[in-house]
Amino acid sequence: MIKIGRGIGPITLSIFFLFAFVVNGYASVQCVECHEEMGADHAASIHKEIQCLECHAQAAEEDHEQFVFAQVDCRQCHDPHDEKLIHDAHSRVSCNACHIKGGIPAVDPESKRIISSRMFRPGMTLPPHQAIQSKIDELCGNCHFQRNTLGASSMVLPPKSILCMPCHVATFSVNDKTTLVFLFIFLVGMVGLGMVWFSGSMDKRVLWTNEKTEPETRFRSDALSPFKLFQALKMIFLEVFLLKRLFQQSKARWIIHSLIFFPFLFRFAFGLTALLCSLFLPDGSVSAVMLDKNYALRALSFDITGLMILTGSLLAFVRKKKNSEGIIASLPEPGRGMSAMIGLIVFVGFILEGLRIAMTGWPGGAEWAFLGYGISLMFRDMTGLTDIYGFFWYAHAILTGIFIALIPFTRMSHIITAPIILIMKEP
């Protein structure tokens, strides 16, 4: 099929009518000979300069009546919205639920998808022909209002920001106030930590005698040699990713760290991959699967990793300190406050997941999120879930922001400094 571009002028259009679609044997002017009411509808629509066969390619068949009225996939021309634009993938929301003039969003009882209640019937205008473009904020109110039955939060929530990336499929955005405030505190703390780091350590006699000492440098002329780079990469893999030294010193502490660290590492890698796929392959099947919270493998893996983090946090909190067991040179002793906060963040996250599953009507695949699904059953007969969801979402986001903001000011800063120290101490 020969395609024409959008925004073409009347002269180009006339030429196109004369010479285009020779292979298929049809031009739009021929279509309206039979479909007059649709022709008038199409001529007044935002798609008026798009040829009929651009969207209805199968209508070129001789017996094409069954294809003409088939639902057209808008993604033939339009990429799906990314999460930065509309907070979430909206994978269960059809295009016409938001972009049809006069349409009222409703839940399809079979697929549980959000569709436009303005369905096509013979004699009425085709909804896709009446598609509209509007500001996102204006469209959000169609679904996000109090006491809605669509399973949408009554609050219009911001996109998951860069602070959410360690655990979720998030974006690089920093537009919401929660992210801006806590990211600013974190950066101030990191600047202070860096100043302390680069100031070096002082000998006690310097403090008393005011004696000047020459700073010691760790840089050597062979530091950038291929062998040294290989050694550095090996050290990063063994010490940072596999926590080798921690395992050698304290297997119990290594298990606790692993229950927290490895799930975070998996979720971060998954989220970053999904984000990149959504940006560069927005219409790909892999992107759709990775963004779908109800896809079985994703739902199961995220619940398992969440449960691992929760278990590790609980063990870190209740584990009694022993005299010297688990203490490693240049690393801080394990603290309890930040571990408890990690557990609290994950706990609120599971409640959020249960609320989401319940208020969206227990969609297919959600049962694989076994813990979230179990929590959702507690909300089975409750009303107003869409109204309280936003409060739990912000509680989860604020707790996460507080945790990240406190990293430079607490023992948790070792997640940044410890890898550097371990590598620098390697001969």
Side-chain angles (χ1 to χ4, degrees):
M1 179 178 63
I2 303 173
K3 293 189 175 183
I4 65 172
R6 303 175 192 179
I8 58 176
I11 297 178
T12 306
L13 187 61
S14 300
I15 296 174
F16 179 80
F17 281 151
L18 289 175
F19 298 104
F21 296 108
V22 174
V23 175
N24 293 310
Y26 292 99
S28 292
V29 290
Q30 293 173 279
C31 297
V32 298
E33 290 179 2
C34 297
H35 307 286
E36 295 182 10
E37 73 287 352
M38 296 179 192
D41 176 32
H42 177 263
S45 75
I46 197 173
H47 294 108
K48 60 186 177 182
E49 294 180 353
I50 306 298
Q51 298 297 296
C52 297
L53 294 183
E54 285 286 310
C55 298
H56 303 280
Q58 293 173 304
E61 301 292 335
E62 183 175 350
D63 184 16
H64 62 266
E65 184 176 357
Q66 58 178 320
F67 301 122
V68 174
F69 304 119
Q71 182 66 48
V72 172
D73 189 351
C74 302
R75 293 175 299 176
Q76 292 176 193
C77 298
H78 304 281
D79 289 333
H81 298 304
D82 58 48
E83 295 204 352
K84 183 176 180 179
L85 183 66
I86 54 172
H87 166 71
D88 215 343
H90 282 58
S91 56
R92 70 185 192 97
V93 181
S94 64
C95 300
N96 60 26
C98 298
H99 293 285
I100 296 299
K101 185 177 181 180
I104 301 175
V107 179
D108 186 325
E110 295 183 3
S111 66
K112 302 294 183 181
R113 286 176 54 81
I114 306 298
I115 60 174
S116 174
S117 61
R118 187 187 177 196
M119 292 288 93
F120 174 77
R121 292 186 300 275
M124 69 179 291
T125 57
L126 279 171
H129 290 174
Q130 301 302 315
I132 57 174
Q133 290 179 328
S134 182
K135 294 182 179 179
I136 295 298
D137 292 342
E138 296 175 1
L139 297 176
C140 295
N142 291 341
C143 295
H144 297 275
F145 55 89
Q146 287 190 337
R147 301 289 175 177
N148 72 78
T149 59
L150 303 171
S153 168
S154 60
M155 295 185 187
V156 179
L157 301 171
K160 291 188 286 292
S161 71
I162 194 170
L163 297 186
C164 307
M165 291 188 74
C167 205
H168 293 285
V169 179
T171 67
F172 294 110
S173 61
V174 289
N175 298 328
D176 61 290
K177 294 179 181 178
T178 303
T179 298
L180 289 172
V181 169
F182 292 117
L183 188 59
F184 175 77
I185 297 173
F186 171 79
L187 293 176
V188 169
M190 288 303 300
V191 170
L193 190 63
M195 292 175 66
V196 172
W197 180 276
F198 289 108
S199 66
S201 58
M202 282 190 175
D203 197 309
K204 288 184 178 179
R205 60 192 179 94
V206 175
L207 296 175
W208 292 103
T209 64
N210 222 10
E211 179 183 345
K212 293 184 179 179
T213 59
E214 291 296 327
E216 180 184 357
T217 178
R218 296 184 182 275
F219 180 79
R220 297 191 299 270
S221 58
D222 63 342
L224 297 180
S225 67
F227 177 75
K228 289 295 182 181
L229 289 175
F230 173 78
Q231 288 294 101
L233 292 174
K234 179 181 176 182
M235 174 61 63
I236 291 173
F237 179 73
L238 293 176
E239 300 292 355
V240 178
F241 290 103
L242 297 185
L243 308 172
K244 173 185 174 183
R245 193 168 306 188
L246 183 62
F247 179 80
Q248 293 172 340
Q249 295 289 334
S250 170
K251 291 181 175 57
R253 189 173 170 186
W254 182 87
I255 291 174
I256 294 174
H257 271 70
S258 298
L259 285 171
I260 299 173
F261 175 69
F262 290 132
F264 270 122
L265 188 63
F266 167 80
R267 293 171 76 114
F268 174 74
F270 183 97
L272 186 60
T273 303
L275 174 62
L276 294 176
C277 286
S278 69
L279 294 176
F280 297 105
L281 299 170
D283 201 27
S285 57
V286 174
S287 303
V289 165
M290 297 189 77
L291 294 174
D292 185 2
K293 296 176 182 177
N294 298 315
Y295 184 71
L297 187 57
R298 174 183 168 171
L300 179 63
S301 60
F302 268 56
D303 263 33
I304 290 176
T305 51
L307 186 58
M308 290 173 66
I309 296 171
L310 193 60
T311 303
S313 302
L314 182 61
L315 290 174
F317 181 76
V318 301
R319 179 172 174 265
K320 294 181 179 179
K321 295 181 180 180
K322 298 182 180 180
N323 294 333
S324 60
E325 199 270 338
I327 303 302
I328 303 174
S330 303
L331 290 182
E333 296 181 27
R336 295 186 176 186
M338 295 292 276
S339 299
M341 184 166 287
I342 292 176
L344 184 59
I345 291 170
V346 175
F347 178 73
V348 176
F350 274 121
I351 295 177
L352 264 176
E353 184 181 43
L355 284 170
R356 176 189 66 81
I357 294 172
M359 69 187 196
T360 54
W362 293 272
E367 65 275 7
W368 286 92
F370 57 94
L371 191 52
Y373 193 86
I375 294 174
S376 72
L377 298 178
M378 300 170 59
F379 305 123
R380 182 178 293 277
D381 297 321
M382 290 183 60
T383 58
L385 296 180
T386 57
D387 296 337
I388 65 174
Y389 180 87
F391 293 102
F392 276 92
W393 190 92
Y394 271 109
H396 184 67
I398 291 172
L399 283 170
T400 303
I402 292 173
F403 175 82
I404 292 176
L406 289 177
I407 287 176
F409 305 98
T410 63
R411 291 175 175 177
M412 194 58 68
S413 61
H414 79 277
I415 65 176
I416 300 172
T417 59
I420 301 174
I421 293 173
L422 290 171
I423 293 172
M424 291 179 66
K425 282 188 172 293
E426 184 69 12

XYZ file of all heavy atoms in Angstrom, residues 80-88 136-137 140 157 159 171:
121
model
N 2.767 4.947 22.083
C 2.106 5.063 23.396
C 2.778 6.150 24.235
O 3.953 6.453 24.055
C 2.321 3.674 24.018
C 2.656 2.771 22.874
C 3.342 3.613 21.860
N 2.003 6.718 25.151
C 2.572 7.714 26.051
C 3.590 7.055 26.970
O 3.417 5.911 27.397
C 1.470 8.341 26.909
C 0.435 9.071 26.112
N 0.750 10.088 25.251
C -0.916 8.939 26.045
C -0.353 10.550 24.686
N -1.376 9.867 25.138
N 4.654 7.791 27.289
C 5.613 7.242 28.237
C 5.178 7.602 29.662
O 4.293 8.430 29.882
C 7.027 7.750 27.957
C 7.132 9.270 28.003
O 6.634 9.873 28.972
O 7.715 9.856 27.082
N 5.826 6.975 30.630
C 5.412 7.133 32.027
C 5.686 8.533 32.550
O 5.062 8.973 33.505
C 6.103 6.092 32.895
C 5.694 4.669 32.561
C 5.888 3.714 33.715
O 6.477 4.116 34.726
O 5.416 2.575 33.606
N 6.631 9.227 31.962
C 6.923 10.587 32.419
C 5.768 11.523 32.104
O 5.510 12.481 32.822
C 8.207 11.090 31.753
C 8.644 12.474 32.219
C 9.962 12.879 31.600
C 10.378 14.259 32.074
N 11.674 14.674 31.506
N 5.048 11.225 31.030
C 3.954 12.095 30.602
C 2.676 11.823 31.377
O 1.962 12.749 31.747
C 3.717 11.905 29.095
C 2.655 12.796 28.460
C 3.117 14.248 28.515
C 2.403 12.392 27.019
N 2.391 10.561 31.667
C 1.097 10.233 32.272
C 1.219 9.371 33.534
O 0.350 8.566 33.824
C 0.184 9.524 31.253
C 0.884 8.309 30.646
C -0.264 10.471 30.181
C -0.029 7.469 29.774
N 2.319 9.548 34.273
C 2.543 8.891 35.567
C 2.785 7.401 35.456
O 3.700 6.888 36.057
C 1.373 9.148 36.527
C 1.389 8.238 37.723
N 2.334 8.368 38.718
C 0.629 7.181 38.075
C 2.123 7.433 39.643
N 1.108 6.706 39.268
N 1.991 6.711 34.708
C 2.115 5.262 34.641
C 1.877 4.828 33.205
O 1.457 5.620 32.361
C 1.090 4.607 35.574
C 1.628 3.345 36.219
O 2.635 2.829 35.710
O 1.048 2.886 37.217
N -2.755 17.187 28.728
C -2.887 16.011 29.583
C -3.702 16.323 30.826
O -4.559 15.540 31.245
C -1.489 15.493 29.979
C -0.756 14.993 28.735
C -1.592 14.382 31.008
C -1.430 13.834 28.056
N -3.463 17.472 31.441
C -4.180 17.825 32.674
C -5.681 17.885 32.453
O -6.462 17.573 33.345
C -3.675 19.173 33.215
C -2.238 19.082 33.718
O -1.782 17.939 33.957
O -1.586 20.128 33.859
N -7.033 14.172 32.323
C -6.924 13.343 33.521
C -8.219 13.327 34.325
O -8.572 12.311 34.938
C -5.777 13.845 34.410
S -4.149 13.683 33.662
N -1.638 11.742 40.193
C -0.320 11.567 40.794
C 0.781 11.897 39.796
O 0.623 11.708 38.592
C -0.163 10.121 41.271
C -1.209 9.661 42.295
C -1.095 8.163 42.532
C -1.044 10.411 43.612
N 4.522 11.458 37.889
C 5.243 10.251 37.453
C 6.244 9.815 38.501
O 6.757 10.636 39.273
C 5.939 10.704 36.167
C 6.043 12.190 36.292
C 4.825 12.629 37.040
N 11.111 7.066 35.973
C 11.611 7.952 34.928
C 12.725 8.816 35.493
O 12.983 8.814 36.697
C 10.476 8.868 34.409
O 10.080 9.767 35.452
C 9.270 8.050 33.978
